Amino acid sequence: MTLRSFLFVPGDSEKKLGKGAESGADALILDLEDSVAPDRKVLARNMVAEYLAARPGQTGPELWVRMNPLAEGGLDDLVAVVRAGPAGVMVPKPDGPADLVRISHVLDALERRDGVTAPVRLLPVATETARAPFALSSYADAGLTRLWGMTWGAEDLSSAIGARTNKGPDGTWATTYKVVRSMCLLAAKSAGVEAIETLYADFRNEAGLIADCQEAAREGFTGRIAIHPAQVAAINAAFTPSPEEVAHATRVVAAFNATPGIGVVGLDGKMLDIPHLKQAQRVLGQAAAIAARRGP
Ligand code: COA
Ligand code: MG
C-alpha cells in the first residue's frame, strides 16, 4: 500500500471536507484533534462520522481520522467513527507503543460490535511528547499488527519541552528535531512499516516544499503530510519514483538476472551488490503500486 500524501482536513469545516476529496491526495486525515477548537470537538466528531458513513467503499482518497488522545475524548472518537470503517486512525501524542496496544484493544471490540471486517490501521505521531523518543525502538516488538506507518511532529514536542523555537538560525530543524526525525525513520523501518515525513508549515513556498520532499524521499520516507491542497501535487510527485529512477532500477535488476545466483555485478563502471539489488526492487515495487492505485 503506497500512500504518498496525507491531507489534513479540519473535521469541523464543511467547506474543507468538501474540497479534500478533489485534492488528489492519496489519503485524507479527517482531524478531530489540534485543528478543532475545544468547544467544537463534539460537532467535529459527528461531522466526521457522517462524512465517513456517506462514503462506503468510495474510490477516492483513503479516509483516515486523527483521534484525540485516549484520555482527552479519544475513546468517544473511536466509538463514533469505527462503525463507518475508516481506513486508519492517526494517533497523536502517544508516549510509546503501550498507548497503541490499548487503542488496538478498543478497536478489536468496536470492530466486532459494528461488524467492521477490514482492520483499522494505525499511524502514530510518535515523537510528540518528551518521553516518546525513548520508546521509538520498542514499536518493532510490540505485536502491533495494525501498525501501518509512523510519523513524527515538531510542534507539540517543542511545546512539551518549553522550546522557544524548533528551528535553527538557518531555518532548518534544530538538533533535537533532526534527531527525533531520524529516530522515527529508523523506528518505522525497524518495525517494517512506512515512514511518513511531517508537515511543511510554509504552505505558500512550493520550491521549498519540493526540495524538502525530495530530501525526505532520498532518505527513505515514503510519503508526507499535507496541510493545504496546494501541497498535494508536489508531495505526490516527490514520492513517486521518477522515470529515470525506474529505468535505472530496471537495468540493475536485469544485470543481476543476466547471471542467476550472482551476488555482485558491474554496471556503468560501478560495483553493485545485493543491497543495490534490493533497493532497485523496492523502487520498482513502489512504482508498480502507485501505477496500480491510478488504475488503467
Ligand atoms: N483541506 C481542504 N481544503 C482546504 C484545506 C485543507 N487542509 N486548506 C485550505 N483549503 C481550501 C480553503 O477552504 C479554500 O477554499 P475556497 O477556495 O473555496 O475558499 C482553498 O482551499 C484555498 O485556501 P487558502 O485561502 O489558500 O487557505 P486558508 O487561509 O483558507 O487556510 C489553513 C489555511 C492553514 C488554515 C488551511 O490550509 C488548513 O486548515 N489546513 C489544515 C490544518 C490542519 O488540519 N492542521 C492539523 C495538523 S497540524
Ligand atoms: Mg498537534
Side-chain angles (χ1 to χ4, degrees):
M1 179 69 54
T2 303
L3 298 174
R4 299 160 299 176
S5 51
F6 285 82
L7 174 62
F8 259 119
V9 184
D12 64 338
S13 168
E14 192 142 3
K15 185 162 113 183
K16 288 173 189 168
L17 285 169
K19 290 214 129 185
E22 299 142 32
S23 64
D26 290 340
L28 302 184
I29 306 173
L30 312 172
D31 188 25
L32 301 177
E33 202 224 3
D34 279 349
S35 71
V36 178
D39 62 349
R40 288 174 66 88
K41 292 279 182 189
V42 174
L43 171 75
R45 182 185 296 145
N46 293 335
M47 284 176 67
V48 164
E50 261 174 47
Y51 183 91
L52 286 167
R55 283 159 190 79
Q58 55 119 38
T59 52
E62 283 198 4
L63 300 178
W64 290 59
V65 175
R66 180 164 68 170
M67 64 184 290
N68 287 281
L70 268 187
E72 294 165 38
L75 195 53
D76 291 323
D77 293 340
L78 295 178
V79 167
V81 303
V82 167
R83 62 165 61 91
V89 166
M90 176 184 260
V91 181
K93 304 180 182 69
D95 277 332
D99 290 346
L100 278 92
V101 169
R102 249 188 99 200
I103 288 167
S104 298
H105 290 155
V106 171
L107 291 173
D108 289 344
L110 292 177
E111 286 171 354
R112 176 63 66 90
R113 181 196 72 180
D114 295 330
V116 173
T117 48
V120 175
R121 289 167 284 160
L122 294 176
L123 175 62
V125 192
T127 67
E128 289 192 311
T129 72
R131 278 184 77 168
F134 299 102
L136 282 169
S137 66
S138 41
Y139 280 86
D141 303 316
L144 287 168
T145 55
R146 296 173 184 274
L147 191 68
W148 175 86
M150 296 177 70
T151 187
W152 72 285
E155 306 305 328
D156 284 283
L157 181 58
S158 50
S159 155
I161 66 177
R164 293 196 198 102
T165 173
N166 47 34
K167 295 285 176 64
D170 63 352
T172 68
W173 295 119
T175 307
T176 304
Y177 310 90
K178 284 184 179 148
V179 169
V180 299
R181 174 177 178 276
S182 294
M183 285 170 65
C184 181
L185 171 66
L186 293 167
K189 301 293 166 169
S190 74
V193 301
E194 306 295 327
I196 301 300
E197 174 65 299
T198 196
L199 58 90
Y200 188 81
D202 190 3
F203 62 86
R204 307 262 184 241
N205 178 1
E206 195 184 20
L209 172 67
I210 290 172
D212 211 62
C213 288
Q214 286 171 344
E215 191 181 332
R218 279 197 300 270
E219 287 181 85
F221 287 94
T222 54
R224 179 160 211 169
I225 289 170
I227 49 167
H228 191 287
Q231 295 185 314
V232 169
I235 293 176
N236 284 349
F239 291 97
T240 302
S242 69
E244 296 74 34
E245 285 169 317
V246 171
H248 180 71
T250 305
R251 289 182 66 225
V252 171
V253 171
F256 278 92
N257 284 348
T259 318
I262 202 162
V264 63
V265 297
L267 186 68
D268 304 333
K270 292 206 177 78
M271 183 207 77
L272 301 176
D273 59 5
I274 300 296
H276 297 99
L277 174 61
K278 283 190 184 153
Q279 177 56 19
Q281 288 165 334
R282 195 173 295 127
V283 167
L284 296 180
Q286 242 174 327
I290 290 163
R293 277 185 64 79
R294 276 201 212 103

